[in-house]
Amino acid sequence: MDSHRLAPRLLASWQRSRRYGLSPEEMRPVFTGSVDTASLFYECGHEVLRGLRDTLANEAVSMMIADSDGLVLCRVCDDASISRSLDRVHLAPGFSFAERDVGTNGLGLALTDRVPSLVRADEHYCAGLRGYTCAAAPVLDPGTGGLVGSVNLTTWSDSSSKLLLALAQAAAGNTAALMLARGTGRRVPPSPRGEVFRVYADRYHQHDHTHQALSPGWTDAVAAARTASVRGRIVAVVGEPGAGKAALAATARRQTGARERLLSARAPAPGDVAAWLALWAPELGKDSTCVLVSGVDRLPAWAATELARLFDEARRVAGEGAGRLPPFAVTAQRYSAIPDVLRPLVDTVVEVPALRFRPDDILPLARHFAGRHRGPTVTFTPAAARALTSYDWPENVGQLRRVVCEAASRTDVIDTRHLPAEVFTGSSGQLTRLQLLERDEIVRCLTEPGTTVAQAAAKMGMGRATVYRKMARYGIRVPGQRRGAGP
């Protein structure tokens, strides 16, 4: 097929396939020999495909799920002829059909661009796949919003493909819904739609923690980013979700002393990328403007390619002026997760330590968030302070902000009873809804002022030994809790 006749997304995929050094005539998918069948995604995806098989009885359609790396985990198909054909091209469990392994294909493109994708016949990069039409849709983890894999439906290239993509999308949605139902106790993250970027020029103090007495773990990272910026280097700030990557990058830029406007562009939903780029990209080349692009590891491949072009152009323009700061910075969870086309533009990588590694920052940040939310009159009791500093904060600063703001909405003096049960519990695996209710009720009773374990047990109609067993089961720890005598 003439590549010039391809749609823009498919053309970009073909261009990436060439850069990977793949041959259109020879396909060599990577074989691992084993797949993970113990994950929640596999369990739910396989169940959805088995149900879909009944709907597509007597149809020459093969249904697959693949993990986020493109590794085929399972294949469900009742048509022997298409199964034998797919075996010949190794589209089978244990083989990787990521774009970088076999070129443009529906499964790989859905994972790369993180949007539903349909690749027909000769739109495939490798000739061996041109006898098929493939539709695939990504599956997002309902707890974290991260990419966990895809659902792929494959049929013959001369078959009708009108409903194929809709079926793949429905199967992906059903898989995510089933994961949510079985993964109880997990919050669904907010949608990335809505606010595209914020201008920090006039209200930067909302994100500036430099007036707080923070730990060396934070201040050293800020200093490293500031020094790199002053030297004209492009900085990538990496770290766990919610650790404060964007806040650190913004703080470092402000500490350079430059009087500049800072635009923070958060990675949007995949379908909103074109509008997202059009909205802020014109600001990139302006004097005294720095663009901070957060979450570049979540961008579709085609968007990363366009961003690399814009960044490269802005960097060349900025380099023409002596003493100018770099015009942009980026954040990601890991340097290795930054798209290949963006990685060469990064000169310095600065890691933000997770909040559990800098416990001295917890109370200063808590006071900061409470003050921003309600005012400086909000205080913490010693017991609440101990509870906050004793918790590991797996979701980092973002979780701390949410917990503190919710508590500050209820009172001016935050005590343990104003904090959610999650702050008093360790990791205890996935809990059912009934277990969550029981855990939260135990924590509620234990955090009542002056309540002993014995008193809490009597209030709940349990024996004290039973309460201790359940505390151990749920990992409940209430700092300063008195054991008390039995009733």
Side-chain angles (χ1 to χ4, degrees), residues 137-321:
V139 178
L140 304 182
D141 187 295
T144 65
L147 181 69
V148 293
S150 72
V151 173
N152 179 55
L153 305 183
T154 297
T155 187
W156 301 115
S157 60
D158 56 359
S159 300
S160 174
S161 60
K162 291 181 179 179
L163 295 178
L164 205 63
L165 187 58
L167 286 171
Q169 290 178 264
N174 291 339
T175 299
L178 192 57
M179 290 175 67
L180 177 61
R182 294 185 179 175
T184 55
R186 304 170 73 179
R187 290 186 305 278
V188 179
S191 168
R193 294 177 180 272
E195 182 178 70
V196 176
F197 69 78
R198 297 189 297 211
V199 179
Y200 291 146
D202 295 329
R203 51 191 181 92
Y204 175 78
H205 60 276
Q206 293 189 19
H207 306 271
D208 185 8
H209 307 318
T210 55
H211 63 284
Q212 302 288 328
L214 298 184
S215 68
W218 174 267
T219 55
D220 289 351
V222 170
R226 180 187 66 242
T227 300
S229 296
V230 169
R231 292 176 177 173
R233 297 175 179 173
I234 304 298
V235 175
V237 181
V238 301
E240 294 181 4
K245 299 183 290 293
L248 186 142
T251 300
R253 294 293 296 203
R254 288 300 177 188
Q255 288 187 5
T256 63
R259 297 180 61 84
E260 64 180 4
R261 180 173 57 162
L262 182 64
L263 304 183
S264 181
R266 297 178 176 180
D272 294 338
V273 171
W276 176 75
L277 285 170
L279 189 58
W280 63 263
E283 304 295 317
L284 186 58
K286 294 184 177 179
D287 290 340
S288 301
T289 296
C290 175
V291 176
L292 170 61
V293 181
S294 301
V296 294
D297 47 339
R298 299 195 301 271
L299 290 174
W302 73 268
T305 300
E306 177 62 13
L307 197 61
R309 184 189 67 78
L310 293 170
F311 279 175
D312 192 47
E313 180 179 333
R315 190 179 194 180
R316 287 199 304 271
V317 172
E320 296 172 357

Side-chain angles (χ1 to χ4, degrees), residues 259-484:
R259 297 180 61 84
E260 64 180 4
R261 180 173 57 162
L262 182 64
L263 304 183
S264 181
R266 297 178 176 180
D272 294 338
V273 171
W276 176 75
L277 285 170
L279 189 58
W280 63 263
E283 304 295 317
L284 186 58
K286 294 184 177 179
D287 290 340
S288 301
T289 296
C290 175
V291 176
L292 170 61
V293 181
S294 301
V296 294
D297 47 339
R298 299 195 301 271
L299 290 174
W302 73 268
T305 300
E306 177 62 13
L307 197 61
R309 184 189 67 78
L310 293 170
F311 279 175
D312 192 47
E313 180 179 333
R315 190 179 194 180
R316 287 199 304 271
V317 172
E320 296 172 357
R324 293 187 62 180
L325 291 169
F328 62 88
V330 300
T331 76
Q333 288 192 37
R334 302 177 309 279
Y335 173 74
S336 60
I338 297 175
D340 293 345
V341 292
L342 290 173
R343 229 176 286 164
L345 296 173
V346 173
D347 301 311
T348 300
V349 178
V350 176
E351 182 178 13
V352 184
L355 190 56
R356 63 183 174 276
F357 297 129
R358 41 191 182 98
D360 291 344
D361 290 346
I362 293 173
L363 283 183
L365 288 175
R367 295 188 182 104
H368 171 75
F369 296 140
R372 291 297 311 166
H373 188 70
R374 279 282 308 280
T377 59
V378 179
T379 59
F380 297 82
T381 66
R386 287 195 300 272
L388 293 174
T389 55
S390 298
Y391 187 53
D392 284 342
W393 300 105
E395 297 173 42
N396 290 296
V397 178
Q399 184 185 15
L400 175 64
R401 180 190 295 109
R402 172 179 56 79
V403 166
V404 168
C405 290
E406 287 177 0
S409 296
R410 300 167 57 194
T411 181
D412 287 337
V413 181
I414 297 175
D415 196 5
T416 53
R417 68 182 184 277
H418 302 118
L419 301 176
E422 65 194 83
V423 174
F424 303 97
T425 57
S427 175
S428 53
Q430 296 296 328
L431 304 179
T432 66
R433 284 186 171 86
L434 287 177
Q435 288 173 327
L436 285 170
L437 289 171
E438 182 179 60
R439 182 202 68 179
D440 291 357
E441 179 63 11
I442 292 172
V443 170
R444 187 190 68 79
C445 291
L446 290 174
T447 54
E448 287 292 328
T451 300
T452 65
V453 174
Q455 291 168 338
K459 184 180 295 185
M460 292 182 288
M462 298 180 184
R464 186 172 55 171
T466 300
V467 173
Y468 278 123
R469 283 197 300 271
K470 291 183 180 294
M471 289 174 66
R473 164 68 178 87
Y474 298 133
I476 297 173
R477 300 182 303 274
V478 180
Q481 175 65 54
R482 293 186 295 137
R483 300 177 72 88

Side-chain angles (χ1 to χ4, degrees), residues 13 97-99 102-110 117 119 124-125 129 134:
S13 178
F97 268 69
E99 185 183 75
V102 298
T104 304
N105 70 95
L107 187 159
L109 188 58
S117 301
V119 179
H124 288 90
Y125 182 75
L129 296 177
C134 301

